[in-house]
Amino acid sequence: MVDTGKAMPVRGIIRRFLDMPLRRKLILSFLAVIAIGGILTLFIGTRIEHATIISLAEAKVRHDLASAWMVYQEKLNNIRDIVRLSANQEFLIEAIRSGRPSDLAAKLDGIRREFGLDILTLTDGRGRVVVRSRHPGISGDNQSGDPFVARALAGRSAAGTEIVERSELLKEGADLADRAFFRFVPTPMAAKRAEDYEENGMMLKSASLVTDENGAFLGVLYGGLLFNRNYDLVDRVKDIVFKGEKYKGHDIGTATLFQDDLRISTNVLDDRGNRAVGTRVSREVNEAVLRRGNPYLGRAFVVTAWYITAYEPIRNIEGRTIGMLYVGMLERPYIDLRNRVMATFAGLAGLCTLFLLALLAFVARQITRPLGVMVEATDRIARGDLGYHVEIGGRDEIGQLAQAFNGMTQDLRNARDDLTQWGRTLELRVEERTRQLREAQDQLIQSEKLASLGKMAAGVAHEINNPLTSILLNTHLLLEESGDSEEAREPLTLIADEAARCAHIVSGLLDFARQTPAMTVLADINEIIDRTVQLHEKQAAVRNIRIEKRLDRSLPPITVDKNKIQQVFSNLTINACEAMPDGGDLTITSRLRRDGTRIEIVFADTGVGIPRENIPKLFDPFFTTKSFGTGLGLAVSYGIVRQRGGTIDVQSEAGRGSTFLVSIPLEDEVKELEGEEISP
Ligand SMILES: Nc1ncnc2c1ncn2[C@@H]1O[C@H](COP(=O)(O)OP(=O)(O)OP(=O)(O)O)[C@@H](O)[C@H]1O
Ligand SMILES: [Mg+2]
């Protein structure tokens, strides 16, 4: 339950991020990478760089401290040499022997001043002071307890640093004791001390044995230099090691001598520009160096500024820690150097970031623009614009996608065109099929009509034929018997004519009804036309009708029942002639249909034409508009042509003439021919 509360916003943020436009997502991701990378680099870089610069500075300080020790040692050696050389001076031996210390004091004081020592004192062979060059008035005290004197008395010359108590300093002169005295300047970081002043001094000291020419033991000469408020050593260190360089008004390098934790000689300045003597070292350094006797290296706030510092203990000749030698380098120049490097680093990083951002914007655009185009294209295609073409070059994945996309739209386009085309063809086919079906249905109705009518006609004809023959026969007999009597002949002739007409109708009925099998032979259709025309030509001419033939003589032969086809052509010719009572033109054309599957014979007249309402009834048996007609001509013709697999079509307009088109397929013909060839 606790987790859900935290997970929800995180999940929400992730979802919101995932829903962003691609371009923004890319830029945000890149920015995150740049920011994280930049911060890490900056952080690590700063660390490394800081560590490097500071450790360089520390190494230098350590080296400087070593140099400072050399200056210190040189000073000590100097004092040792002065004391030793002075101890061997002839005048000294003479003076000791002669027992005139006043002369001696003057001589020794000359040497002391010449070499800048603070004390130069002579004792006798037991360590009692013979003369103090600085303060000749006090003598005779025993110095054999002094470690340097004691060592000299033991035959070894000695040199080193030592704490000298105020009482001893007072013996050498009140001014010296005053110089050594410090009241502590309050230092917040310093360790607590019971007292608030220092009255002892710290001194470089050396003692040397005085012997005569025979090596006889005469006394001890010891000299020393009080460090308190003596700035020679520290300033020399500053000059030699740091060459007095300054940085923004501060000395770059400083050196200090500590007596215990107290600054007794230094060139570190306080905020008023005075030497910061009387202040004390921090608790931390105190602990490390004075209490534990270790060197200390590190940054420290010294009086007014941060320094990179090195402290080492100063030990007396017995090895006890009595003070410290310090050198420090102002941290500021290093910090400034580090900051400069960091600024350069950050500047470069900023430039790199800007460059990366520009690159990022460019790359993001390169990716998202074509994607936008693809989205637009998909949209267009979804709206049905299949002609849309994506214009994206390049061979990368997006380029390939665009190519595939264009291929896909092309396929879609083709499929759609095919479908449309197919739909159109389908429509045409349906129309064609419907027409064929209607035709077949019409034909079926027609043939059924014909069949039933045929049966009836045959029955009627058969029944009528015998009485009719009998009527005709008897009428002719009566006519013969009637002689020349007009009165009797006239009705008999009428009866004979009408009976003959009935016989004609009956024979027509029988023709119609008789479904005789076709006697098919290979025939030239033009020849049949020729014969038909020959039969009717003369009679037509009498009625002022011209028959014109337009025959395609290259027509292939066709298997038909020649007589039946001739009967069809005759019926059509007679009908045409009968439709032109005042004369006209009948044009008979034969031709191969354009697709080469059928032979077509056209009878076109310029006669009275057929009213529109009569056209559907033309092929019905007994349909006639003529007083003398039987109405069987077209019905019989239709039956014959259908039997051969053909059709008869009519086009007519009342008053303008009619056109009858007989169409006979060649296909059956071809089959039959093939059949003949196979079985001769
Ligand atoms: N060429 C034509 N021009 C005008 N009408 C025609 C033509 N041919 C046929 N007809 C019409 O079609 C009817 C039927 O013709 P069909 O040949 O079947 O019978 P008919 O000519 O009337 O009689 P029959 O042929 O027995 O003498 C005709 O009566 C006539 O009205
Ligand atoms: Mg007719």
Side-chain angles (χ1 to χ4, degrees):
M1 287 307 281
V2 179
D3 269 351
T4 333
K6 284 179 185 170
M8 276 312 282
V10 174
R11 224 178 286 158
I13 289 169
I14 292 175
R15 195 174 320 126
R16 212 177 309 151
F17 175 76
L18 290 177
D19 289 346
M20 277 178 188
L22 188 60
R23 189 180 159 86
R24 201 178 302 161
K25 221 161 16 189
L26 276 176
I27 289 182
L28 277 183
S29 312
F30 273 81
L31 273 181
V33 170
I34 291 173
I36 293 170
I39 288 168
L40 274 180
T41 313
L42 218 64
F43 181 74
I44 296 170
T46 315
R47 284 285 150 137
I48 292 175
E49 197 241 326
H50 182 80
T52 309
I53 288 180
I54 296 302
S55 66
L56 269 177
E58 285 178 355
K60 182 167 185 321
V61 168
R62 214 179 295 131
H63 180 261
D64 292 346
L65 185 62
S67 305
W69 273 122
M70 279 167 67
V71 175
Y72 188 96
Q73 198 58 46
E74 182 196 293
K75 196 79 185 170
L76 187 60
N77 290 342
N78 195 16
I79 291 171
R80 194 207 320 256
D81 290 346
I82 293 164
V83 172
R84 197 168 46 211
L85 288 172
S86 304
N88 292 330
Q89 294 267 322
E90 196 63 36
F91 80 88
L92 194 66
I93 299 161
E94 273 305 308
I96 294 170
R97 276 195 188 140
S98 68
R100 284 198 306 272
S102 54
D103 281 4
L104 191 61
K107 284 255 166 101
L108 279 179
D109 202 40
I111 294 170
R112 184 184 69 81
R113 284 175 194 279
E114 190 187 337
F115 292 104
L117 296 182
D118 284 317
I119 60 167
L120 191 59
T121 299
L122 180 70
T123 70
D124 63 13
R126 282 170 298 152
R128 288 187 180 279
V129 173
V130 176
V131 64
R132 281 192 163 85
S133 62
R134 187 186 186 98
H135 204 196
I138 294 181
S139 62
D141 54 308
N142 189 359
Q143 288 292 332
S144 61
D146 179 275
F148 296 88
V149 175
R151 279 171 197 239
L153 286 173
R156 288 176 285 150
S157 57
T161 317
E162 192 54 273
I163 301 293
V164 182
E165 289 186 358
R166 181 174 173 84
S167 54
E168 288 300 323
L169 287 173
L170 281 171
K171 289 176 191 165
E172 293 290 346
D175 60 331
L176 219 52
D178 286 350
R179 227 179 81 196
F181 186 87
F182 281 104
R183 194 159 292 283
F184 297 159
V185 175
T187 315
M189 307 268 276
K192 280 207 174 65
R193 273 176 72 164
E195 64 278 29
D196 67 345
Y197 64 89
E198 177 63 65
E199 55 180 4
N200 301 328
M202 191 164 78
M203 196 175 262
L204 270 187
K205 226 170 158 185
S206 180
S208 211
L209 203 58
V210 183
T211 52
D212 66 7
E213 58 270 28
N214 303 318
F217 183 47
L218 297 178
V220 170
L221 182 69
Y222 68 91
L225 185 76
L226 184 67
F227 277 143
N228 303 42
R229 292 193 175 90
N230 180 332
Y231 306 115
D232 283 352
L233 185 86
V234 290
D235 286 349
R236 205 168 139 68
V237 169
K238 194 175 91 175
D239 288 345
I240 290 176
V241 178
F242 302 111
K243 312 209 165 46
E245 270 180 63
K246 283 181 179 287
Y247 185 80
K248 293 182 179 169
H250 290 275
D251 286 322
I252 277 203
T254 52
T256 301
L257 281 167
F258 286 89
Q259 177 181 335
D260 200 4
D261 67 346
L262 177 70
R263 281 187 187 85
I264 54 167
S265 174
T266 184
N267 38 45
V268 174
L269 303 180
D270 63 18
D271 43 14
R272 276 173 296 170
N274 300 322
R275 292 183 190 257
V277 286
T279 56
R280 296 191 295 134
V281 82
S282 71
R283 205 175 295 120
E284 194 187 352
V285 178
N286 186 330
E287 181 66 25
V289 183
L290 295 172
R291 303 291 154 252
R292 286 201 232 111
N294 297 327
Y296 177 91
L297 192 69
R299 66 195 285 270
F301 190 77
V302 179
V303 187
T304 55
W306 283 97
Y307 282 81
I308 296 159
T309 60
Y311 295 80
E312 275 183 10
I314 296 173
R315 296 193 170 91
N316 67 6
I317 51 170
E318 282 150 0
R320 193 167 54 84
T321 301
I322 53 168
M324 296 181 289
L325 177 63
Y326 149 94
V327 293
M329 272 191 320
L330 203 58
E331 194 191 46
R332 193 75 243 165
Y334 290 93
I335 296 296
D336 286 351
L337 172 67
R338 188 203 66 189
N339 289 348
R340 267 200 310 277
V341 173
M342 281 315 300
T344 314
F345 189 69
L348 280 176
L351 278 180
C352 281
T353 307
L354 281 182
F355 173 73
L356 283 177
L357 276 178
L359 189 71
L360 161 66
F362 176 74
V363 170
R365 202 179 132 70
Q366 287 302 304
I367 294 173
T368 52
R369 199 187 55 84
L371 281 182
V373 173
M374 293 298 297
V375 170
E376 155 84 10
T378 317
D379 222 38
R380 294 276 285 268
I381 281 166
R383 275 185 272 134
D385 180 4
L386 290 184
Y388 192 73
H389 187 84
V390 182
E391 298 289 350
I392 299 177
R395 292 191 191 160
D396 59 0
E397 286 82 348
I398 292 175
Q400 289 171 10
L401 181 64
Q403 264 180 19
F405 192 87
N406 285 336
M408 186 191 74
T409 48
Q410 178 66 49
D411 290 350
L412 275 177
R413 220 162 31 233
N414 291 346
R416 187 189 58 182
D417 291 351
D418 286 353
L419 262 179
T420 318
Q421 186 60 36
W422 194 75
R424 237 176 263 145
T425 322
L426 193 68
E427 234 167 71
L428 287 178
R429 278 196 196 158
V430 168
E431 265 171 34
E432 169 72 9
R433 272 268 176 258
T434 316
R435 197 183 55 77
Q436 285 176 355
L437 269 174
R438 203 177 299 127
E439 259 180 32
Q441 203 183 15
D442 288 353
Q443 282 163 11
L444 194 70
I445 292 169
Q446 188 70 11
S447 23
E448 270 175 11
K449 243 192 244 175
L450 291 183
S452 51
L453 269 170
K455 261 185 219 158
M456 190 189 76
V460 170
H462 189 258
E463 288 304 314
I464 288 175
N465 219 15
N466 288 343
L468 205 55
T469 314
S470 171
I471 289 169
L472 263 176
L473 195 70
N474 287 307
T475 310
H476 280 291
L477 280 175
L478 282 173
L479 266 175
E480 274 173 30
E481 284 170 12
S482 66
D484 292 336
S485 158
E486 268 311 303
E487 227 172 296
R489 284 190 79 87
E490 205 182 281
L492 284 175
T493 311
L494 191 67
I495 292 170
D497 282 356
E498 288 301 305
R501 211 164 82 83
C502 282
H504 172 68
I505 291 171
V506 168
S507 98
L509 273 175
L510 283 173
D511 266 356
F512 169 71
R514 214 181 295 135
Q515 294 286 326
T516 49
M519 306 278 288
T520 53
V521 287
L522 202 56
D524 178 2
I525 219 83
N526 289 330
E527 203 182 289
I528 303 173
I529 295 172
D530 284 338
R531 213 159 348 113
T532 310
V533 172
Q534 230 172 19
L535 267 175
H536 299 284
E537 219 167 16
K538 278 197 186 101
Q539 226 193 333
V542 172
R543 294 156 76 173
N544 207 16
I545 293 169
R546 211 165 51 87
I547 301 180
E548 190 192 342
K549 290 183 285 184
R550 291 183 190 164
L551 306 180
D552 178 356
R553 296 287 173 189
S554 66
L555 285 179
I558 183 168
T559 48
V560 283
D561 185 325
K562 273 162 94 174
N563 289 332
K564 284 190 172 185
I565 291 295
Q566 193 181 333
Q567 193 187 344
V568 172
F569 291 173
S570 279
N571 281 342
L572 292 174
T573 307
I574 293 166
N575 279 353
C577 291
E578 285 171 350
M580 296 184 283
D582 304 325
D585 292 327
L586 168 63
T587 311
I588 305 174
T589 310
S590 72
R591 66 189 180 211
L592 192 65
R593 203 164 83 169
R594 218 168 288 157
D595 62 6
T597 59
R598 286 169 170 262
I599 287 178
E600 293 177 335
I601 308 99
V602 185
F603 293 79
D605 63 54
T606 55
V608 293
I610 307 164
R612 184 186 292 269
E613 66 274 12
N614 286 350
I615 288 181
K617 301 182 263 181
L618 285 186
F619 297 98
D620 289 352
F622 307 114
F623 174 75
T624 180
T625 56
K626 299 167 193 169
S627 53
F628 54 87
T630 63
L632 285 171
L634 283 179
V636 169
S637 301
Y638 186 84
I640 293 168
V641 172
R642 276 305 309 153
Q643 195 182 25
R644 175 57 183 80
T647 56
I648 304 178
D649 289 307
V650 190
Q651 273 189 334
S652 180
E653 220 176 296
R656 285 266 179 105
S658 314
T659 302
F660 284 77
L661 181 129
V662 181
S663 169
I664 304 168
L666 276 171
E667 211 169 299
D668 295 353
E669 166 61 25
V670 172
K671 277 180 201 158
E672 281 177 34
L673 277 175
E674 278 172 352
E676 272 174 19
E677 275 171 18
I678 291 163
S679 53

